[in-house]
Structures are given as C-alpha cells and as structure tokens.
Amino acid sequence: MENNTVISVKGLEKRFKDNAVLKGVSIDINKGDVVCVIGASGSGKSTFLRCLNLLETPTGGSIFFEGEDLTDKKVDLDLHRQKMGMVFQQFNLFPHMTILENLTCAPIMLKKISKEQAEKKANELLARVGLADRADSYPNQLSGGQKQRVAIVRALCMEPEVMLFDEPTSALDPEMVGEVLDVMRELAKEGMTMIVVTHEMGFAREVSNRVIFLDDGVIAEEGAPAELFGNPKCERLKTFLSKVL
Amino acid sequence: MNAWLDKLYKTFIVDDNYMMLVKGLGNTLLITLCALLIGIVIGSVIAIAKYYAEGNKKLKIVNVVCDIYTTAIRGIPVTVLLMIFYFVIIVSDTTGITTAIIAFGINSGAYMAELIRSGINAVDNGQMEAARSLGMSKGQAMRKIIFPQAIKNILPAIGNECIALLKETSVAGYVTVVDLTRAANLIRTNTNDAVNPLILLALVYLFLVVIMTKLLNIFERRLRKSDGR
C-alpha cells in the first residue's frame, strides 16, 4: 500500500437480506483526492459511502483507513470516525442545540479540548462559510443551504482527514445549491480528501480529480472527469449521462 | 349563608380539622413527587436498556425482563400492587408513606418506560447517524443527542402521567397513609358533614392539576424555543 493512500476499499460487499447492493467494490483513495461517485438511484452510491465509515456494516470485503481494517471487530471505530467527517443529505443538525453547540459538542466531548478553544475554532470556521452571525441561532431558524454549510463546518470542527458527502445538495432548493458547492469547492482547493456522492455533474466535472460510476453494485467505469464525461466507454454510463446532462 | 359558614366552622376549624387536610396535602404531594422521580428513573433505565437490547442477541434476556416488568405492572391495578407491597413485601412500614412511594414509583415506571421508549423511537435515525459519524459512542450519542430530544417530544405525555399519578395516589388510604383523600374522609366521618369535605377535596385536586398543567406549559414553551418560528 502506498503511503499516501488514505482509504483502501477491497472487494466491498453489502447485502440487505436477499438484495445485494454492493457486489465487490475496490478502490484506493489517496490524500488530496476529490472523488465523485455518480450513478443512477439504486446503484449503491449512498450505501457505498455509508459503508466507508461503517454506518452500514459491510457483509463482505475490507475497508482500510490509514492502514487499519475498519471491518475488524477489534478496531475502535469511534476513534476512526472522528477522522472521517460526514455530511448528510438531510443535514441532521441537532435541533435542540444552537449552531455553536452543534459545532462544539463533539470536539469538547471527544477531543478533550477546552470550551473556549472549541468555540474559537467553530467561530472561525463559521465566519469562513459566511455564517458568523448565526452562532446563537437554532437549526430550524436557518435555510437549507445555511444548514448544510453548518453541517459541513460541524464535520470540519473535528479536523477530519477525509470528508464524506452523501448527496449534500439533493435536499436543497435550487437557489441554495450554489452556496453549498462553493464551500465544498473551497475545501477541495485546500487539499481536503473528499468523497462526494452527487447528482451535480457540473461539480463533479469541475472540482473532482476522479469520478467513479457505480452501476448495479460495481464500479462500471472510473477515470478523470474529462475522460469519463467526454469519452464514456461503457454503454450504461453513456445512457446515464445522456439522461442527466 | 350564616348557617353554612357555621357548618364550615364546625367541620374544618373545630378540633383543628383543617390541619389534617394540610398534612394530607403534604403527604399527597410527597408521594406524588417521589414516585414521579422513581418512575422517571426506572422508566429511563428500562427504555434505554430496551433500546440497546433490540437487535442484540446477547442481551435478549434484558429485553425479556423489561417486558415482563411492563406487562405485569400494567396488568395489575395500582391499588392491588399497593396492598401487596404493604401487607406482603414491606411489612415493617407503619405510616405506609414509604410503601406508597415505592409502589406508585414502580407502577409509574412501567408507563414511563413505554413513553420514553416511544419518544426515543420518534427521534429521527439521522440524529444517531450524525452523532456516530462524529465519533460519539452509542452511549454518548444517546445521552447528548437522542435522549434530550426524546424527552422534549414526550413532555406533554409525561405531564399527563404526572396528573394521573397525583390522582392515583388518592388510594393510598388503603394502606393507612393519611393523604389528602383519607384526611377529607376522616373529617367526613368525624363531623357527619359529607358535602363540604368532599367538595373541598375535589376542588383541591382540581386546583393542583390546573397548577401542574400551567407549569408544564411554561416548561414546554421554554423547551420549544429551539423550534424557531
């Protein structure tokens, strides 16, 4: 394994009862990669992403994160999850906490840093996504785009090595998609390793350095975005692209 | 009018009968409050235990024990439970207050457990996922994220349970506790005046319930702050 491989997925399988969703997915993700995962709904994209931090337990294969096999029962999963930020389609902010509490609760509890330190960091990051004045609001007082930006900051406050995005813009009104993608674009520019399940082909083409096309539980095609979008080889990808572009 | 006042005087003031009511009220409130606390503690423990035990084969026994408790308690009238505790289990308790607290607490615990469990189940799954994705353990996520939201969801139902509990304690007299109801009843037998003590008794309960409802509304509104507008 190369030294700059952050996540290495080997033969990942996931089945729900009789329904095989992932049928052997293997991929290495390197430091600084921005990988977009595309595919039709039901192709297993979200399941793939959720398997990476074991929100879904894989039924086969291994996931190596920084050299350790997360599917090994003896591994301290909580510790590894701290280094894998995740952003959800439905934001999943904690509604009973203010924005600032949302951002600081996990760092204070898990990283044992002081409240002041956590708040300082949270406020800095909030300012960077343009929400400095919302620290004391509650999630329900925010628009969808603002919520998703807060959700990204919440994950960043744990200083993760990798960020996982599960269709981060799919639940947003069209006019709010841009503000979230801007934040993600910034993040990519700073060299964050990102894996993004998305329907935003424009974003995938422009920001990612690798795109994988999942179809029927396997990686049907993989490549640089220019190559994959400009010159798709497999028939399913051609059909898929003709529908979404 | 004067005759009525005279009667009131004879019923409540002579022999300091009103003091019995005051003490009875104190006992009723004491039993309700302590039983409520016990109920919330038992209910939370059981609800959380069941949450963990669900889908974990090793903990199946926990699930079974919890189910037996809730089924048994919900199937036995609280009066019967109270008498079993007083006459069979804790025979050394003379005033009956401790027994009443324990019996009502255990009774209320079964209802609380079901309530809290429904509250926990009503919290969106994404909340647990988000907490776990940040690296919290299941227990940390439960304590900081899920449980506070669950309690908020079921607060109106807990309020109803408090009110029901307050009224249920009126059977404490079965085990010699001089609670509000028994005090009023004693005054009735001592003074041969049935109307005034019983009407007053009803009014006091009504007043207590109205106060509790008001307090609960205030509390709820404060919690609701985070819902925004």
Side-chain angles (χ1 to χ4, degrees), chain A residues 50 53 55 78 81-82 84 86 88 92-97 105-106 109-110 138 140-141 154 158, chain B residues 124 126-127 129-138 140 143-145 148-149 225-229:
Chain A
R50 291 160 57 83
N53 65 353
L55 280 186
D78 296 333
R81 282 200 181 119
Q82 292 182 20
M84 301 171 112
M86 189 165 198
F88 299 85
N92 294 344
L93 294 180
F94 307 133
H96 59 304
M97 297 179 177
C105 101
M109 190 184 338
L110 304 171
Y138 282 92
N140 284 2
Q141 297 165 325
R154 179 176 67 180
M158 290 299 288
Chain B
D124 182 53
Q127 293 290 310
E129 289 186 347
R132 297 305 302 273
S133 82
L134 288 166
M136 291 185 206
S137 69
K138 210 172 171 184
Q140 288 169 326
R143 207 170 59 240
K144 281 289 249 192
I145 309 299
Q149 293 184 56
K225 214 174 56 182
S226 58
D227 286 354
R229 264 135 288 152

Side-chain angles (χ1 to χ4, degrees), chain A:
Chain A
M1 200 185 296
E2 279 180 71
N3 261 350
N4 65 349
T5 305
V6 185
I7 298 179
S8 177
V9 182
K10 298 203 190 303
L12 180 64
E13 286 172 26
K14 174 70 186 176
R15 52 169 62 244
F16 296 98
K17 299 253 164 64
D18 294 332
N19 179 21
V21 180
L22 298 175
K23 305 169 182 168
V25 176
S26 299
I27 184 175
D28 284 344
I29 289 155
N30 301 321
K31 202 163 175 41
D33 268 353
V34 177
V35 181
C36 280
V37 183
I38 61 171
S41 58
S43 58
K45 328 183 276 296
S46 281
T47 308
F48 167 69
L49 194 77
R50 291 160 57 83
C51 278
L52 292 181
N53 65 353
L54 267 80
L55 280 186
E56 302 287 358
T57 315
T59 43
S62 315
I63 295 156
F64 292 92
F65 176 59
E66 298 182 321
E68 279 202 76
D69 187 355
L70 298 186
T71 57
D72 186 342
K73 290 242 176 345
K74 281 176 229 131
V75 160
D76 184 352
L77 207 53
D78 296 333
L79 213 58
H80 289 290
R81 282 200 181 119
Q82 292 182 20
K83 298 185 218 156
M84 301 171 112
M86 189 165 198
V87 176
F88 299 85
Q89 184 177 353
Q90 298 296 340
F91 329 126
N92 294 344
L93 294 180
F94 307 133
H96 59 304
M97 297 179 177
T98 65
I99 300 306
L100 196 62
E101 286 164 351
N102 263 278
L103 303 181
T104 55
C105 101
I108 292 172
M109 190 184 338
L110 304 171
K111 301 191 90 170
K112 308 290 175 217
I113 62 174
S114 71
K115 189 165 179 242
E116 290 72 34
Q117 243 179 312
E119 285 181 353
K120 185 164 168 275
K121 168 123 189 138
N123 279 320
E124 273 170 27
L125 286 168
L126 262 190
R128 276 182 44 199
V129 300
L131 292 172
D133 53 333
R134 305 314 298 263
D136 296 320
S137 307
Y138 282 92
N140 284 2
Q141 297 165 325
L142 267 52
S143 72
Q146 290 173 329
K147 280 184 206 171
Q148 196 60 300
R149 281 185 277 160
V150 170
I152 294 173
V153 171
R154 179 176 67 180
L156 289 177
C157 279
M158 290 299 288
E159 301 178 318
E161 301 290 327
V162 187
M163 287 284 281
L164 312 175
F165 293 85
D166 188 4
E167 303 196 23
T169 57
S170 297
L172 297 176
D173 291 340
E175 75 266 25
M176 291 170 184
V177 170
E179 62 191 65
V180 171
L181 292 183
D182 283 344
V183 172
M184 292 168 62
R185 203 172 280 128
E186 276 300 307
L187 212 52
K189 235 183 258 169
E190 289 163 21
M192 175 62 79
T193 311
M194 295 161 64
I195 303 164
V196 187
V197 170
T198 187
H199 292 292
E200 298 290 334
M201 296 305 148
F203 178 84
R205 181 180 279 184
E206 175 204 348
V207 180
S208 67
N209 65 334
R210 292 163 75 190
V211 179
I212 60 179
F213 173 62
L214 270 185
D215 185 56
D216 198 23
V218 293
I219 297 181
E221 193 162 338
E222 183 199 341
E227 180 70 19
L228 193 126
F229 287 113
N231 187 15
K233 289 181 187 66
C234 90
E235 231 13 80
R236 300 295 294 264
L237 178 56
K238 280 180 197 166
T239 333
F240 175 72
L241 289 177
S242 73
K243 277 183 199 152
V244 295
L245 289 181

Side-chain angles (χ1 to χ4, degrees), chain B residues 80-163:
Chain B
V80 176
L81 199 69
L82 187 65
M83 290 196 289
I84 290 177
F85 267 91
Y86 187 74
F87 295 111
V88 182
I89 301 177
I90 316 174
V91 268
S92 58
D93 181 17
T94 45
T95 62
I97 290 179
T98 317
T99 310
I101 288 173
I102 293 171
F104 284 115
I106 287 177
N107 181 64
S108 161
Y111 293 93
M112 288 286 182
E114 288 302 299
L115 265 182
I116 294 171
R117 206 166 65 90
S118 72
I120 289 173
N121 287 341
V123 175
D124 182 53
N125 228 351
Q127 293 290 310
M128 180 54 98
E129 289 186 347
R132 297 305 302 273
S133 82
L134 288 166
M136 291 185 206
S137 69
K138 210 172 171 184
Q140 288 169 326
M142 175 53 85
R143 207 170 59 240
K144 281 289 249 192
I145 309 299
I146 309 295
F147 203 67
Q149 293 184 56
I151 291 296
K152 192 174 128 183
N153 289 342
I154 57 170
L155 207 69
I158 288 187
N160 286 338
E161 175 61 24
C162 295
I163 289 169

